[in-house]
């Protein structure tokens, strides 16, 4: 959208993803469609050189590798992105467990980010855990993605729309107890419990 509005000459593209050849090729394909060359930075020094080279651009987008929050390389990636001119957006998988989302927000230093992108909302049975984490970390959602198509599956949703989607629910709980499960839980003989207590 930016290239359409301001011209491809005003857009710069940098990838830090030196690990996944397929991801690099995908970005280079987008770059060819837009008429924008894609530059690769392998370390902080080369990234700073590229930022200086592209300083005249109105916008420079930096694509990073999708690393797990506990990957040992995550700290190196964050150090590379600590340049004062870089505004970071954190991509959060809305389909992940609440505890995992919280871990991502902490590990990727959400407080230092300019906003959050919620991805995979089409796969999320419950949107509440992701919204809860974003609210607690006082972040703003700048966009959502509900599929793999670019840019068709990229959307901006209002707070009302996100809350409405979270409250409408969907899917059935994987942890429902049926009557048989309840009977098993409460049918343990008292003598067995007494023996177990005595063993301690």
């Amino acid at each position: 959208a930016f290239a359409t509005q301001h011209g491809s000459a005003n857009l710069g593209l940098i990838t830090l993803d030196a690990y996944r050849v397929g991801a690099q090729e995908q970005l280079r394909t987008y770059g060819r469609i837009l008429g924008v060359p894609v530059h690769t930075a392998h370390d902080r020094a080369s990234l700073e050189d590229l930022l200086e080279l592209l300083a005249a651009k109105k916008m420079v987008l930096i694509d990073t590798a999708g690393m797990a929050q506990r990957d040992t390389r995550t700290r190196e990636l964050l150090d590379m992105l600590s340049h004062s001119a870089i505004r970071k957006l954190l991509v959060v998988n809305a389909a992940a467990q609440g505890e995992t989302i919280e871990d991502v927000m902490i590990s990727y230093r959400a407080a230092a980010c300019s906003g959050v992108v919620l991805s995979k909302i089409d796969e999320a049975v419950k949107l509440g855990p992701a919204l809860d984490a974003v609210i607690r970390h006082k972040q703003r959602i700048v966009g959502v993605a509900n599929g793999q198509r670019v840019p068709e599956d990229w959307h901006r949703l209002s707070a009302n729309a996100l809350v409405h989607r979270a409250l409408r629910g969907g899917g059935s709980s994987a942890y429902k107890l049926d009557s048989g499960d309840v009977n098993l839980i409460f049918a343990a003989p008292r003598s067995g419990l007494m023996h177990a207590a005595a063993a301690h």
Side-chain angles (χ1 to χ4, degrees):
F2 179 89
T4 303
Q5 186 175 355
H6 299 282
S8 58
N10 286 310
L11 177 65
L13 294 176
I14 299 175
T15 179
L16 305 184
D17 194 346
Y19 307 102
R20 300 174 302 162
V21 175
Q24 281 193 27
E25 283 307 309
Q26 187 178 41
L27 184 61
R28 291 185 195 285
T29 299
Y30 291 141
R32 281 194 293 271
I33 293 170
L34 296 171
V36 179
V38 176
H39 304 272
T40 303
H42 298 282
D43 53 30
R44 179 164 178 167
S46 60
L47 176 59
E48 290 181 352
D49 287 344
L50 283 171
L51 290 175
E52 188 173 337
L53 176 70
L54 301 172
K57 305 288 185 184
K58 288 185 177 179
M59 176 181 284
V60 177
L61 297 177
I62 303 172
D63 179 47
T64 65
M67 292 182 189
Q69 73 275 15
R70 297 192 179 190
D71 193 309
T72 54
R73 297 169 297 179
T74 298
R75 184 179 294 274
E76 297 172 19
L77 175 63
L78 291 173
D79 288 343
M80 280 183 71
L81 296 172
S82 62
H83 191 285
S84 60
I86 297 175
R87 295 175 59 219
K88 294 180 284 294
L89 296 177
L90 178 60
V91 179
V92 172
N93 178 358
Q97 292 179 333
E99 292 85 351
T100 301
I101 294 172
E102 177 68 15
D103 202 31
V104 166
M105 299 286 276
I106 293 170
S107 298
Y108 273 96
R109 305 171 191 166
C113 294
S114 299
V116 167
V117 174
L118 283 186
S119 70
K120 301 187 179 180
I121 65 169
D122 54 316
E123 299 178 21
V125 176
K126 296 179 179 178
L127 196 56
L131 294 184
D132 170 69
V134 170
I135 291 168
R136 282 186 295 98
H137 286 270
K138 298 179 180 177
Q139 278 297 316
R140 65 189 186 98
I141 297 173
V142 298
V144 300
N146 66 340
Q148 300 296 319
R149 299 173 303 165
V150 178
E152 294 88 347
D153 292 333
W154 169 270
H155 307 281
R156 291 183 183 273
L157 294 182
S158 68
N160 285 342
L162 286 166
V163 170
H164 181 268
R165 185 182 179 96
L167 293 177
R168 86 177 175 207
S172 58
S173 174
Y175 305 104
K176 282 185 179 175
L177 293 175
D178 60 27
S179 57
D181 294 328
V182 174
N183 289 338
L184 284 173
I185 291 171
F186 291 102
R190 293 185 63 81
S191 58
L193 292 175
M194 291 174 64
H195 289 310
H200 292 292

